[in-house]
Amino acid sequence: MVSAALSDALTDPTHLIQQLYSQWKQSSAPDRSPFPDLVARHFAGLFQTPETLSQIPALNVKQPLERHAPRSLVAFDAMVQDTSYSPEVYLSEIREQSGGWGLAESNEDALPPDELTKYDNLDERTVIWAVSIPGESDWVQHPDQAVNRTDAIQHPSLLSKRYQHKFPLPDTPHVGAKVKIYTDLSDQPFSPTDLVTFVGFLTNEMYDLTDEPIADGALCPTLHVVFWKKYSPHYPISQPPLSDPAASVEELIQWVADAALGGDKDAAEWVLLICISPLISRDLPIILPSLSLTGFPASPDRLHDPPSLGAVLAALFPMCSSLPLSLELLNERSFCPESKNEDLHSGALQLPHDNILVVSELTIQEGTLREKGLRNIESLQTVLQTQTLNYIFPFSAYPFPTRLRVIVLTESKRTAIVKCNIVFPLRPINPQKLYLSSELILPDAAILQRFRQLLIREQRTGVNFLSEAMSQHVENDFVRDRQAGIKVSQDDLALRITIARYAEFAMGRSQVNVEIWERTKALDQRRQARLIDGK
């Protein structure tokens, strides 16, 4: 049941703002909070639970600007794309009422000149640009229906060329919006690629963030924020714990192998281990592995049939993006965000943390790689090696941390374009299943739900995953192998420890045990055997 206060906030939020302003004005407390803070606390208190927050209409590709009435209260799950804009000055009060949250602009033509010159009523608001979460899977955004190009054509704001450059994935329907924030952000500023839920008034304003001439109809969604919170995904996943995680893991590996990797179970296991890699811990031997699947057979129609792997991972994980490399893409599109005329253009690698990125070298054909293409390859290699991405500004470039789980598909025996720290030669039994020539056939809903529940859990960052006894076991095992003349390096050991950490997480254990260690060791030994066979 929706409370009266909640109903009022949803049906007439502008009236609620004015009510709060009247009460605030009448307050004589010497330590009263700034009015934007009062608004933020009030609205956040009304919508503090996931159930109440879900009552707010969403701003997304299924419900874009055109689907909402002017000044509707909406919730926008978004990635912060650009924080470089200067603050805006606005009239905080008009005629003894609040002028914030777009109210002064909507009444500007009717205001007498003396209202516009009351400098004591001027205040500042922060302006950023935010976009739909790149790579967010349809089952997270829209559990009941998929998004298609027809939706985008019917709603021009989704593909407006005016601000298409601010989204990392080209020709992808998305929502882009100016976001105006009234509370003080000095203690908690936003950074690019932050994921945030913004709640506020939706308006349609001029796209005037640059000095370029304003074209006819150059309008864009604008969100006047009443409160915001860190994005918390609302996965439609059942909560009861799995009775037998190990059995579910085996079933999942088999499905991924059959649906995307031609039946190669070892390849499927490596892919899943990379995808569930925990949050970066700097004290682990390596930060975040990248995987190259080499010897990936080319499709007869390589330009049109995408690899099935991207669709399979998108069905399992909340965020997955594909980057099919081509000479045209490398030579013409920037992989790094770049500021042009004080407007930050997105790059193909400006993606949220923990996004899975499937890079395909299978679409590259013969031709000339120009200087820009070489810089893009260098940027991708830097992400793989250091998990940082340069943001390019006039006369300078600044590295920003990123956290991408990268899988590279290539025909060559070794990665041709970029170097990954794990190389695994693919051995498909059924090559016809490597490419998506038609719609992906998913498992039954209950099975798919179980797979997602297995994969999507709160990731642990602690390093206490090896008991003292298990650490001694691993050390003794390493010494025995070296004494037996088995070629195993310190790097091999570091990789196995890290992969065992991921396997322990997958199996639902709290620490690595002997069984998990032996399984990890055998998996890596089979990988090394394939590398030797392929030379």
Side-chain angles (χ1 to χ4, degrees):
M1 181 177 177
V2 178
S3 68
L6 198 67
S7 177
D8 291 343
L10 291 169
T11 57
D12 197 352
T14 297
H15 179 65
L16 177 56
I17 289 280
Q18 297 299 8
Q19 279 186 323
L20 292 172
Y21 191 73
S22 177
Q23 296 167 9
W24 180 79
K25 286 279 287 183
Q26 293 171 12
S27 171
S28 58
D31 58 345
R32 72 176 183 180
S33 301
F35 183 59
D37 291 351
L38 171 66
V39 170
R41 285 199 305 271
H42 186 84
F43 277 86
L46 289 174
F47 300 102
Q48 61 182 325
T49 67
E51 292 74 22
T52 53
L53 189 61
S54 67
Q55 299 291 323
I56 305 174
L59 176 65
N60 55 33
V61 293
K62 289 300 296 183
Q63 301 175 84
L65 172 70
E66 295 85 351
R67 288 280 184 90
H68 297 278
R71 293 194 58 77
S72 296
L73 190 71
V74 300
F76 183 27
D77 292 336
M79 182 189 82
V80 175
Q81 189 270 330
D82 188 356
T83 61
S84 64
Y85 303 119
S86 299
E88 281 185 351
V89 175
Y90 72 98
L91 271 174
S92 63
E93 180 177 291
I94 52 173
R95 296 172 178 171
E96 300 298 319
Q97 292 188 318
S98 174
W101 296 275
L103 291 167
E105 291 89 336
S106 61
N107 293 284
E108 189 171 7
D109 294 339
L111 291 177
D114 63 312
E115 286 282 349
L116 300 175
T117 56
K118 290 183 177 179
Y119 299 116
D120 290 344
N121 291 337
L122 296 180
D123 210 336
E124 281 190 351
R125 60 193 174 200
T126 301
V127 180
I128 63 175
W129 187 267
V131 296
S132 304
I133 298 175
E136 188 174 41
S137 301
D138 284 349
W139 62 271
V140 176
Q141 263 193 101
H142 320 285
D144 300 324
Q145 53 189 146
V147 180
N148 56 47
R149 294 285 297 186
T150 304
D151 296 320
I153 293 169
Q154 291 173 350
H155 304 295
S157 67
L158 296 179
L159 285 174
S160 172
K161 292 183 179 179
R162 184 71 186 176
Y163 45 88
Q164 187 70 212
H165 64 280
K166 299 189 77 64
F167 194 69
L169 309 177
D171 301 321
T172 302
H174 73 280
V175 172
K178 277 191 296 185
V179 176
K180 300 187 177 184
I181 303 161
Y182 292 77
T183 52
D184 183 9
L185 296 177
S186 56
D187 292 335
Q188 44 186 351
F190 292 119
S191 297
T193 72
D194 281 350
L195 297 184
V196 184
T197 296
F198 296 106
V199 176
F201 294 93
L202 180 63
T203 63
N204 194 18
E205 300 179 10
M206 300 299 288
Y207 182 87
D208 55 0
L209 296 179
T210 71
D211 295 330
E212 298 178 11
I214 300 297
D216 292 339
L219 299 174
C220 70
T222 303
L223 196 63
H224 294 268
V225 174
V226 293
F227 81 96
W228 59 270
K229 57 178 291 188
K230 183 179 179 181
Y231 170 68
S232 179
H234 25 262
Y235 304 135
I237 293 177
S238 57
Q239 294 303 314
L242 296 171
S243 58
D244 189 355
S248 295
V249 166
E250 295 301 332
E251 188 179 359
L252 172 61
I253 291 171
Q254 188 64 63
W255 180 69
V256 172
D258 292 339
L261 297 169
D264 190 335
K265 287 187 63 177
D266 274 5
E269 188 163 356
W270 277 105
V271 165
L272 289 170
L273 287 170
I274 294 300
C275 289
I276 64 170
S277 54
L279 304 176
I280 294 176
S281 292
R282 292 292 180 184
D283 42 4
L284 288 179
I286 53 179
I287 56 172
L288 201 61
S290 55
L291 172 66
S292 174
L293 293 179
T294 61
F296 206 102
S299 167
D301 191 1
R302 69 169 66 199
L303 298 181
H304 296 95
D305 290 345
S308 302
L309 185 60
V312 167
L313 295 180
L316 296 171
F317 292 91
M319 288 186 292
C320 181
S321 304
S322 293
L323 185 61
L325 299 182
S326 66
L327 287 177
E328 180 182 6
L329 179 78
L330 289 165
N331 288 331
E332 297 181 10
R333 181 164 173 80
S334 293
F335 282 15
C336 291
E338 184 173 358
S339 180
K340 299 178 182 179
N341 299 320
E342 299 184 355
D343 186 15
L344 186 68
H345 290 225
S346 186
L349 298 178
Q350 191 187 24
L351 298 169
H353 287 192
D354 297 329
N355 201 309
I356 296 169
L357 180 62
V358 179
V359 179
S360 174
E361 299 179 359
L362 306 167
T363 47
I364 297 179
Q365 297 180 306
E366 291 185 4
T368 302
L369 192 63
R370 299 195 291 270
E371 181 180 356
K372 187 169 190 175
L374 293 172
R375 289 201 305 268
N376 282 331
I377 290 173
E378 182 180 1
S379 298
L380 179 56
Q381 188 66 66
T382 299
V383 167
L384 294 179
Q385 291 178 339
T386 68
Q387 289 292 332
T388 59
L389 178 66
N390 276 337
Y391 282 56
I392 301 171
F393 297 90
F395 314 113
S396 62
Y398 299 97
F400 279 72
T402 188
R403 191 165 63 227
L404 302 181
R405 297 168 281 184
V406 183
I407 299 166
V408 180
L409 311 180
T410 179
E411 286 183 79
S412 69
K413 292 182 178 180
R414 295 279 177 177
T415 308
I417 300 297
V418 289
K419 182 180 179 181
C420 298
N421 54 0
I422 301 175
V423 177
F424 187 84
L426 185 69
R427 297 288 186 268
I429 301 169
N430 186 4
Q432 291 78 17
K433 292 292 187 71
L434 294 172
Y435 290 89
L436 199 63
S437 56
S438 59
E439 188 176 353
L440 177 66
I441 299 175
L442 297 173
D444 291 340
I447 297 175
L448 193 57
Q449 190 89 328
R450 181 156 41 87
F451 288 167
R452 290 169 180 167
Q453 185 179 353
L454 179 72
L455 297 168
I456 303 167
R457 291 172 281 155
E458 183 178 354
Q459 295 187 4
R460 301 186 296 272
T461 58
V463 296
N464 215 7
F465 58 94
L466 280 177
S467 65
E468 186 175 343
M470 195 62 218
S471 296
Q472 190 63 52
H473 176 87
V474 169
E475 182 179 342
N476 293 341
D477 195 39
F478 177 69
V479 171
R480 283 195 301 270
D481 284 348
R482 295 287 289 265
Q483 290 174 341
I486 299 173
K487 292 184 178 180
V488 53
S489 66
Q490 290 284 352
D491 288 341
D492 294 331
L493 178 62
L495 174 61
R496 289 175 184 178
I497 291 173
T498 302
I499 296 300
R501 166 65 169 125
Y502 303 158
E504 161 258 315
F505 175 81
M507 296 293 184
R509 306 288 176 82
S510 59
Q511 288 188 320
V512 174
N513 58 21
V514 174
E515 178 188 359
I516 290 175
W517 173 252
E518 293 300 328
R519 178 184 179 126
T520 301
K521 181 180 172 183
L523 182 68
D524 191 47
Q525 287 173 336
R526 293 195 298 273
R527 178 185 71 90
Q528 292 183 334
R530 288 196 189 189
L531 288 171
I532 294 171
D533 291 343
K535 287 183 178 180

